[in-house]
Amino acid sequence: MSDTIETPVQETVLATQTAATETKPIEQALITPSLTPRPDYIPAKFWDDQKGEPKLDQLGASYISLEKAFSSKREVKKPGADAKPEELAAYQAEVRKITGAPDKPEGYGLKAPENLPEGVEWNAELAGKASAIAHKYSVPPEALHELIALNNENVGGMMAKSAEAQKVQRDEMIAGLNAEWKDQAPNNWQRAARGAIALGIDINDSELANNAEFIKAALAVDRLIGEDTKLIGADSSQATYEERMDKLRVSDAYQGKLGPAKQDEAFKQMQQFYQASRA
């Protein structure tokens, strides 16, 4: 009978190493929020949800900061109706510090813009008056410049509308006279201009030259005066097309007395006058 020796079972390397890397349970603290609700008058950033109370340190620091900010601004009170001139001057000086208004009206620096709307002319005298009013009420420079630009834009728009309306009215007047005069329209326009000149009217710079009734009257004046007044100069610059053709017909060139070349030129000129009188 033999004796049996039992060898104790040892853990394998793999087993021991696996056991060494096993995670151990970690006790986690449970975070239980406070049941105290945050009052509406305390901002969320100043409230501690866990403790259910305000963050007094942050709340106090914020209050101190706000108090410093408000205490640094001085209150400016407008003087009463019986205030002395020096009191009013001191008040305006304080207001100008706040609005940024200049100490003098010239400080606004109003000058003609580079791109004024078409038809708008810069009025330096009016700009000076605007600066004086703005200075009186301590208007900020930016506000005055924007108001001036708005005014220029508005005036430009009104002038554009006015010019367009005048053009429509002129076109309608021209069409009406052309329809009334028919084939005689080109000559009548010339005779009306000549009649206006005889009356001393500048046809290039007068409101009368844009008036249909005056134009008709000027035409009547020219007819009454006739050729004896010698209004038609030697160069015939004020003659009508028909008058020029009449004069050309009796000329030596048109009659062929100056040779074929001159006569050919006279014929061509006669054709031009005729076409112009029927345009």
Side-chain angles (χ1 to χ4, degrees):
M1 179 177 148
S2 61
D3 295 332
T4 302
I5 301 174
E6 295 181 0
T7 304
V9 178
Q10 296 181 351
E11 292 182 337
T12 63
V13 173
L14 181 61
T16 57
Q17 293 302 312
T18 302
T21 58
E22 288 181 357
T23 59
K24 297 182 179 180
I26 300 176
E27 295 183 359
Q28 297 181 350
L30 296 178
I31 301 177
T32 304
S34 172
L35 298 178
T36 305
R38 174 179 62 83
D40 294 337
Y41 57 83
I42 298 180
K45 64 179 181 179
F46 297 127
W47 184 256
D48 191 327
D49 290 329
Q50 295 183 21
K51 297 181 179 180
E53 60 185 23
K55 301 176 181 178
L56 296 179
D57 54 343
Q58 297 182 19
L59 191 60
S62 178
Y63 174 79
I64 294 173
S65 178
L66 287 174
E67 188 178 46
K68 289 181 179 180
F70 281 106
S71 62
S72 63
K73 297 182 179 180
R74 292 179 297 174
E75 183 178 359
V76 181
K77 293 184 179 180
K78 185 176 181 179
D82 56 347
K84 297 179 180 179
E86 55 269 22
E87 293 176 339
L88 289 174
Y91 165 73
Q92 291 292 348
E94 289 297 323
V95 174
R96 284 195 294 272
K97 290 180 182 179
I98 297 174
T99 64
D103 294 332
K104 297 181 179 179
E106 296 78 8
Y108 282 104
L110 292 183
K111 59 182 180 179
E114 295 181 358
N115 298 318
L116 275 173
E118 186 176 356
V120 178
E121 296 183 0
W122 179 253
N123 190 326
E125 182 180 358
L126 185 61
K129 292 180 179 179
S131 296
I133 295 174
H135 180 263
K136 178 180 179 181
Y137 295 101
S138 303
V139 175
E142 298 82 2
L144 178 59
H145 283 266
E146 288 188 20
L147 288 172
I148 294 296
L150 179 62
N151 176 71
N152 292 338
E153 181 182 351
N154 181 54
V155 173
M158 290 191 297
M159 295 191 67
K161 291 181 180 179
S162 177
E164 181 63 25
Q166 290 179 4
K167 182 179 182 304
V168 171
Q169 185 178 8
R170 285 162 51 105
D171 292 344
E172 291 177 350
M173 182 194 69
I174 293 172
L177 290 177
N178 285 337
E180 180 181 341
W181 291 338
K182 299 181 181 179
D183 294 342
Q184 289 299 313
N187 287 295
N188 285 353
W189 283 112
Q190 289 184 315
R191 298 190 68 174
R194 193 169 64 187
I197 293 173
L199 293 172
I201 300 300
D202 185 354
I203 62 174
N204 294 314
D205 187 24
S206 174
E207 287 299 321
L208 289 174
N210 289 323
N211 186 289
E213 296 303 320
F214 173 79
I215 292 173
K216 291 180 182 180
L219 174 60
V221 168
D222 184 75
R223 287 172 176 169
L224 289 173
I225 294 176
E227 297 182 2
D228 292 339
T229 59
K230 297 181 181 180
L231 288 174
I232 305 174
D235 60 353
S236 300
S237 60
Q238 295 179 11
T240 66
Y241 293 123
E242 288 186 353
E243 291 168 344
R244 294 181 187 184
M245 286 190 290
D246 290 341
K247 190 174 182 178
L248 184 60
R249 286 192 186 96
V250 298
S251 67
D252 291 342
Y254 191 82
Q255 296 294 330
K257 296 178 181 180
L258 301 179
K262 292 292 184 180
Q263 187 178 38
D264 185 57
E265 290 180 5
F267 285 164
K268 290 180 180 178
Q269 192 173 20
M270 178 68 74
Q271 186 178 14
Q272 291 175 355
F273 287 155
Y274 178 80
Q275 291 176 349
S277 68
R278 295 295 183 266

